[in-house]
Every structure is written in C-alpha cells, then in structure tokens.
C-alpha cells in the first residue's frame, strides 16, 4: 500500500538553543506557526489523498516537538489524534531532540497514537556535538534511543555528515551506533546556510565546508553501514528546493540535488569491487554482468556511466552489462564473469 505523510512544520519551536548549522526558516521554508491552523492543514491534505488505498501519517517536523509548551504539544496531538479515531490516518510521527525524551513524554505520545519518533542525533561523538553546540552528549542520545525502543516506538536516527570536528571515522562510528539502536536512518550532508554560526565559522576559516566528492564518499560509507545492518535509509540530503541554489541562502558545502543517488553510486561501486577483489582473478578482456534489483540499473551504472567506465578501466574488462532481476532486493547484487 502507498504511504503518504501529511507534513506539519513547527519551525524552531521547542529548541533550547541554536545549533551552529541551524536555520529552520531556510530549511522548512516556514518562519511562523499558528497551532489553530493545523486542523485545516490536515483537512486540506486529506482532501487530495485516496485514504482507502493509502497509509496516511501526520508528521510533525521542523522543530523539537516534545520540547514545546506542554499544553501546545497536547493540543497538536489531540488535533491529529481525532483523524486516527475516525480512520482517516493510521498514525502520527514527529521529530525531536534526545534531551527532550523521558518516560512521561513517551507515555503521552503513546496515548495519542504516535508510532514513529525521529531523533536528531547528528553525531555520536562528544567533540562533534560540543563543536556543533548541540547541548547534549552522546550518552544522552544513546539513553534516549534505548528508552524509545523500550516503549516500542519505531525509531529513526538522523545523522549529519561533515559537522565541525567530524571525520569519516567518526561518521562511520555514528552510523554503526544508529544502526544498532534505531530502526532506520536519515543522512544529511552539512550545507552551510547563511545567518548561522557555522557560516560565520566558515568565513573565519574555522570550518571548511564539505566538497561534493568528500560528501559523497562519507555519505556512501555511512550508507554501507546501514546496508550491512539491513536498516533502511529513508532519506539522504535536504529536500531539493530553489532556495538551496541561492547564494544569498547557501554559503558553502556543495549542495547537489542528487546527493542520495551519488552516494548510492558509490555504494554499488564499492560492493562490486569488494566481490571482484575476493575473486582474485585476472579480469583482462572478460565481460562482467551485474544483476541488481528492479529500478537500480542507473545507480549501478553511475551518473554519466562513471561506475561502468571505472570498472572497465581498473579491471581491464572488455564490457560491463547491468541487468535487473525480480528476485534481488535492496542493494544486493550478483556478478557473472564471462
């Protein structure tokens, strides 16, 4: 069954401080919020959805939902919950911070039909968290994850690539912890937005924005971790929008609308090479056939055929052919060397 989220953005509400990278107005495209408009937002969205054939979820995004005024939080939950009661939607999901999770909050969320909690973890390294002014430690994040799973919520861990003081090794470590504790993940390469402290840091040469090549490599390595752990990555990169191409909005960090596909290209290339290297045979003049899941051919081939060309060059192959197979799922592949 098709799944649809009805997004309700609550920009910056509930956040106790400004992380160095954050400009919620730019990210969400929303600068104001009126709780009394939420009901009409949901109604208008539902009027465009075939709810009989669609699993529909109300999603509170944009701020730290469990950190907002308690009465406002319950008001929003009640507003959404009546659509669960009448069968229009199946559940509620929300995003929040690890330091706004406790037993009382989780019980309230459970009472109002919340199924999925997305935690802005960003990093599991204390030096990175401190440099990013997150306001909590990795220990706090781990304890929040465990408490959420104890209460049987679906947990999505959000991580960022290229934060201050971060490295590829720290990001792989973060991905491993998230894969261990969470049901799925989102990966966001850092984009330096203007009107943020990170932008000021970059201007003072205290922070170097990620180059696209580095963002692809580091995102691809995190993606490999989640693939091996069989945990779904539900999104890579910020939602594409015209503002993210605007130099008045973005200061640095090579934003690319297809960063997710580029990272998947990287993942497939690395997996293919790992298999070929294990074969430990002379590939010169041979033909390679790669079998992949439905819809994955372009990701295996790579943008502008880069994966095919590198495989032919690096292994001295005669040709590379990519073929879909119905019984292959996810990022799995099968190779034939002819």
């Amino acid at each position: 069954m098709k799944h649809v989220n009805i997004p309700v953005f609550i920009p910056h509400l509930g956040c106790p401080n400004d992380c160095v990278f954050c400009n919620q107005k730019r990210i969400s495209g929303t600068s104001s919020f009126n709780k009394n408009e939420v009901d009409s937002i949901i109604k208008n969205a539902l009027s465009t959805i075939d709810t009989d054939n669609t699993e529909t979820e109300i999603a509170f995004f944009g701020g730290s939902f469990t950190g907002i005024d308690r009465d406002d939080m319950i008001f929003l939950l009640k507003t959404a919950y009546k659509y669960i009661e009448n069968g229009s939607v199946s559940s509620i999901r929300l995003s929040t911070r690890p330091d706004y999770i406790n037993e009382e909050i989780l019980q309230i969320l459970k009472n109002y039909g919340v199924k999925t909690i997305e935690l802005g973890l960003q990093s599991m390294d204390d030096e990175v968290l401190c440099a990013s002014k997150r306001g909590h430690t990795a220990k706090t994040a781990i304890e929040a994850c465990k408490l959420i799973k104890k209460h049987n919520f679906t947990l999505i861990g959000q991580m960022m690539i290229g934060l201050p003081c971060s490295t590829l090794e720290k990001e792989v470590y973060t991905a491993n912890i998230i894969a261990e504790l969470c049901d799925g993940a989102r990966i966001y390469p850092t984009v330096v937005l203007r009107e943020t402290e990170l932008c000021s840091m970059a201007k003072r040469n205290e922070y170097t924005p990620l180059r696209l090549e580095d963002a692809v490599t580091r995102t691809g390595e995190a993606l490999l971790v989640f693939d091996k752990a069989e945990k779904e990555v539900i999104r890579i990169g910020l939602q594409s929008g015209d503002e993210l191409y605007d130099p008045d909005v973005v200061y640095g960090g090579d934003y690319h609308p297809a960063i997710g596909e580029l990272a998947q290209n990287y993942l497939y290339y690395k997996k293919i090479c790992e298999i070929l290297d294990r074969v430990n045979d002379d590939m010169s003049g041979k033909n390679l056939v790669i079998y992949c899941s439905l819809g994955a051919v372009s990701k295996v081939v790579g943008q502008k055929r880069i994966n095919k060309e590198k495989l032919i060059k690096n292994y001295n192959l005669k040709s590379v052919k990519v073929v879909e197979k119905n019984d292959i799922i996810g990022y799995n592949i099968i190779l034939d060397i002819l």
Side-chain angles (χ1 to χ4, degrees):
M1 182 178 285
K2 183 180 178 182
H3 179 92
V4 172
N5 281 344
I6 298 175
V8 180
F9 290 101
I10 48 171
H12 213 61
L13 295 183
C15 290
N17 63 295
D18 284 324
C19 302
V20 297
F21 52 81
C22 186
N23 185 331
Q24 278 291 341
K25 179 180 177 180
R26 295 300 192 188
I27 292 171
S28 68
T30 306
S31 58
S32 61
F33 178 74
N34 183 343
K35 67 180 182 180
N36 295 308
E37 295 177 353
V38 170
D39 193 52
S40 62
I41 291 171
I42 297 171
K43 282 182 180 177
N44 290 339
L46 284 171
S47 69
T48 67
I49 298 170
D50 177 9
T51 55
D52 290 335
N53 298 297
T54 306
E55 182 185 49
T56 308
E57 192 170 43
I58 297 169
F60 291 108
F61 286 144
S64 296
F65 187 82
T66 59
I68 67 178
D69 176 82
R70 185 59 53 86
D71 290 340
D72 287 344
M73 183 181 82
I74 292 175
F75 175 87
L76 293 171
L77 289 169
K78 284 182 176 179
T79 300
Y81 187 59
K82 69 181 182 182
Y83 292 97
I84 295 178
E85 290 183 306
N86 69 23
S88 300
V89 304
S90 60
S91 61
I92 300 167
R93 74 190 296 139
L94 57 89
S95 61
T96 192
R97 293 168 51 96
D99 46 349
Y100 279 142
I101 291 292
N102 58 41
E103 292 276 0
E104 179 199 8
I105 285 171
L106 292 177
Q107 191 57 55
I108 292 172
L109 301 184
K110 190 178 295 185
N111 291 342
Y112 288 103
V114 174
K115 178 182 177 183
T116 302
I117 297 174
E118 298 204 20
L119 271 192
L121 301 168
Q122 320 313 2
S123 176
M124 288 294 184
D125 181 89
D126 282 338
E127 183 183 19
V128 176
L129 292 172
C130 181
S132 302
K133 295 190 176 179
R134 282 295 288 164
H136 64 78
T137 64
K139 180 181 178 183
T140 300
I142 290 170
E143 289 174 348
C145 289
K146 290 180 177 179
L147 191 58
I148 289 168
K149 290 307 300 175
K150 174 186 169 185
H151 285 268
N152 298 315
F153 290 93
T154 298
L155 175 59
I156 304 298
Q158 301 173 355
M159 68 174 290
M160 293 183 68
I161 301 293
L163 287 171
C165 296
S166 193
T167 62
L168 170 60
E169 292 73 23
K170 290 179 179 182
E171 286 153 7
V172 168
Y173 172 77
T174 293
N176 274 296
I177 298 297
I178 292 175
E180 178 185 345
L181 297 176
C182 302
D183 301 295
R186 293 180 187 257
I187 308 174
Y188 295 111
T190 300
V191 176
V192 183
L193 301 174
R194 294 188 183 275
E195 302 175 32
T196 63
E197 188 171 345
L198 192 61
C199 180
S200 299
M201 292 166 64
K203 289 179 179 178
R204 296 192 301 265
N205 294 318
E206 296 172 3
Y207 170 79
T208 302
L210 281 177
R211 295 181 302 115
L212 180 60
E213 181 181 357
D214 293 332
V216 170
T217 298
R218 289 160 71 160
T219 303
E221 289 294 332
L223 193 57
L224 275 165
V225 170
F226 294 117
D227 176 54
K228 290 176 180 177
E230 299 182 343
K231 296 296 176 72
E232 181 183 8
V233 175
I234 62 177
R235 181 163 191 85
I236 302 173
L238 293 171
Q239 185 73 37
S240 177
D242 292 340
E243 282 197 334
L244 293 176
Y245 295 101
D246 188 344
D248 291 333
V249 174
V250 176
Y251 176 78
D254 279 339
Y255 171 73
H256 195 292
I259 185 68
E261 184 160 343
L262 292 175
Q264 291 169 332
N265 295 168
Y266 176 94
L267 177 148
Y268 274 115
Y269 182 75
K270 188 156 185 179
K271 292 186 76 166
I272 294 164
C273 290
E274 287 176 353
I275 295 172
L276 293 178
D277 291 343
R278 285 201 301 270
V279 172
N280 194 25
D281 196 8
D282 183 9
M283 306 289 171
S284 299
K286 294 185 177 180
N287 301 300
L288 176 63
V289 182
I290 306 167
Y291 297 97
C292 64
S293 61
L294 297 179
V297 170
S298 64
K299 297 169 186 175
V300 178
V301 170
Q303 285 204 346
K304 299 180 180 179
R305 298 168 53 89
I306 186 170
N307 283 357
K308 285 185 77 169
E309 292 176 3
K310 287 198 298 183
L311 287 167
I312 289 171
K313 178 182 178 181
N314 293 341
Y315 291 92
N316 200 24
L317 293 161
K318 181 179 179 181
S319 70
V320 173
K321 183 178 181 181
V322 183
V323 180
E324 295 178 343
K325 284 194 74 174
N326 289 330
D327 56 346
I328 296 178
I329 60 173
Y331 295 112
N332 293 311
I333 52 173
I334 299 172
L335 305 187
D336 270 349
I337 302 166
L338 307 172

